Amino acid sequence: MVKINPSEITPEHVYISRRKFMVGLGALVAGSLALSACGKQDPLPSPTPARANGTATLSPSANTDELGDKLTSYDAITNYNNYYEFSIRKEQVARLAQDFKTSPWAVQVGGLVHKPKTFDLDDLFKFTQEEQIYRLRCVEAWSMVIPWAGFPLAKLLQEVEPMAKARYVRFETLYDPEQMPGQKSGGYNWPYVEGLRLDEAMLDLTLLATGLYGKPLLPQNGAPVRLVVPWKYGFKSIKSVVKIDLVEEMPTSLWMAAAPREYGFYANVNPGVSHPRWSQATERRIGENKRRQTLKFNGYAEQVAHLYTGMDLKQWY
């Protein structure tokens, strides 16, 4: 169980675009707010997938994912955070991030595209916001189940029209050491950079998240917009995105540069491939006392395994 000091629980942040967020989610938000931030919920109906391709698009009244795994509590999700731009200590991130300014905000999308564009918050909220309950598996072998709100990354990429020679998508986090004290550390090559293959980015599972539990994202969770790639280890899901470029060559991520032997480009959840310093066969679900078996591709194999046909996933880790 995560032990959270009550004094560290961050109050809900005030967002200029909150009204648009709430309007965009509509009934979904109203239902989600019924879920207690303390994690004590009455029994609720089982979720019903809404997409033909198996993506877990669930009712906001659901209290489990499509495998029947219970949602992680709001307090745990918002107070146990890997976000090195603020701190390497998970329980300190929320406190250090509480004054982080998330508006105005812009995401510049360019590179190998026909129609480069800069999207402000109003632009991002014009995309239909939907709820996706996804499992999050950290490379450190802990996990959560999170009800995100957002929209498929593919919708945004379609607007800028990728060129034929674009093969990868490179993402970049805000660089602002005055707001993000962890970026003053010389241990990493800031800003945070991540990448996906274009076909991975265009998959319907890949989400640009703007909220969770029916509320706008808090800074410690990557506000105002972050990537969520549920079949990969959590470090692939870059936070506070300000730049997206389509490129021809594979991007070098921050973690690839820092420790290439430990963190490869693909970072697919794979219980059969150990991290050099620990096993990935099991995981600790936050809120549970015992470990559970890790699922290949984090349980999303049906949707994503075809992307890696013929690849040696021990080599392409």
Side-chain angles (χ1 to χ4, degrees):
M1 298 289 288
V2 178
K3 295 182 179 179
I4 301 170
N5 188 327
S7 66
E8 294 181 355
I9 295 178
T10 306
E12 186 172 335
H13 202 66
V14 178
Y15 292 84
I16 290 177
S17 48
R18 178 174 175 78
R19 182 179 300 276
K20 287 186 172 59
F21 180 90
M22 301 302 282
V23 171
L25 289 180
L28 182 152
V29 173
S32 295
L33 292 175
L35 295 176
S36 167
C38 297
K40 297 179 180 179
Q41 299 108 18
D42 295 329
L44 295 171
S46 298
T48 303
R51 288 184 178 162
N53 68 356
T55 302
T57 303
L58 308 179
S59 162
S61 64
N63 64 353
T64 69
D65 67 7
E66 82 284 5
L67 300 181
D69 293 344
K70 293 181 179 179
L71 303 184
T72 303
S73 74
Y74 183 79
D75 281 350
I77 294 169
T78 58
N79 287 278
Y80 189 78
N81 310 105
N82 263 349
Y83 203 167
Y84 281 23
E85 282 86 342
F86 292 100
S87 174
I88 63 172
R89 297 182 62 187
K90 296 175 180 61
E91 293 84 357
Q92 294 299 315
V93 172
R95 178 180 61 81
L96 293 170
Q98 61 185 341
D99 293 326
F100 180 69
K101 298 184 186 305
T102 60
S103 182
W105 195 270
V107 180
Q108 180 183 342
V109 185
L112 299 177
V113 300
H114 293 289
K115 296 181 178 179
K117 180 177 178 179
T118 297
F119 295 81
D120 63 19
L121 288 179
D122 286 345
D123 295 324
L124 295 176
F125 285 113
K126 288 176 183 175
F127 292 96
T128 300
Q129 309 291 304
E130 56 190 54
E131 182 171 84
Q132 300 283 0
I133 297 180
Y134 284 157
R135 294 172 293 283
L136 170 69
R137 172 57 156 81
C138 182
V139 72
E140 297 170 349
W142 55 266
S143 61
M144 294 182 176
V145 180
I146 301 177
W148 301 103
F151 59 94
L153 171 63
K155 300 292 186 183
L156 182 142
L157 296 181
Q158 287 164 1
E159 284 210 359
V160 298
E161 298 182 7
M163 295 180 181
K165 61 182 179 179
R167 297 180 59 220
Y168 295 91
V169 186
R170 180 187 183 276
F171 305 87
E172 189 172 307
T173 291
L174 177 71
Y175 179 69
D176 187 347
E178 293 308 310
Q179 288 200 86
M180 297 172 148
Q183 289 180 335
K184 296 177 181 179
S185 165
Y188 299 98
N189 185 24
W190 305 111
Y192 198 101
V193 169
E194 257 305 339
L196 295 175
R197 234 169 45 192
L198 182 57
D199 57 350
E200 296 175 322
M202 296 299 288
L203 198 69
D204 206 30
L205 279 177
T206 306
L207 193 73
L208 281 179
T210 55
L212 63 85
Y213 262 107
K215 303 178 181 182
L217 286 178
L218 293 176
Q220 61 265 34
N221 294 113
V225 60
R226 64 171 290 168
L227 186 70
V228 179
V229 193
W231 71 95
K232 295 179 180 288
Y233 292 119
F235 67 85
K236 296 293 291 188
S237 295
I238 185 171
K239 304 176 182 74
S240 301
V241 176
V242 294
K243 191 175 183 182
I244 301 174
D245 284 318
L246 279 80
V247 297
E248 190 170 3
E249 301 296 327
M250 179 185 291
T252 299
S253 70
L254 179 142
W255 282 108
M256 290 170 66
R261 181 173 163 269
E262 298 187 3
Y263 305 104
F265 175 80
Y266 284 93
N268 290 319
V269 176
N270 190 342
V273 177
S274 295
H275 185 280
R277 291 182 279 130
W278 57 80
S279 170
Q280 296 287 18
T282 64
E283 64 197 65
R284 175 177 60 93
R285 177 65 52 79
I286 300 301
E288 296 180 353
N289 293 320
K290 60 182 181 180
R291 300 185 73 83
R292 58 168 63 209
Q293 296 295 311
T294 292
L295 302 176
K296 191 169 184 178
F297 297 116
N298 207 21
Y300 300 98
E302 182 178 350
Q303 295 98 316
V304 306
H306 68 278
L307 297 175
Y308 312 105
T309 301
M311 292 180 62
D312 181 347
L313 298 182
K314 291 185 178 180
Q315 176 183 356
W316 300 103
Y317 58 92

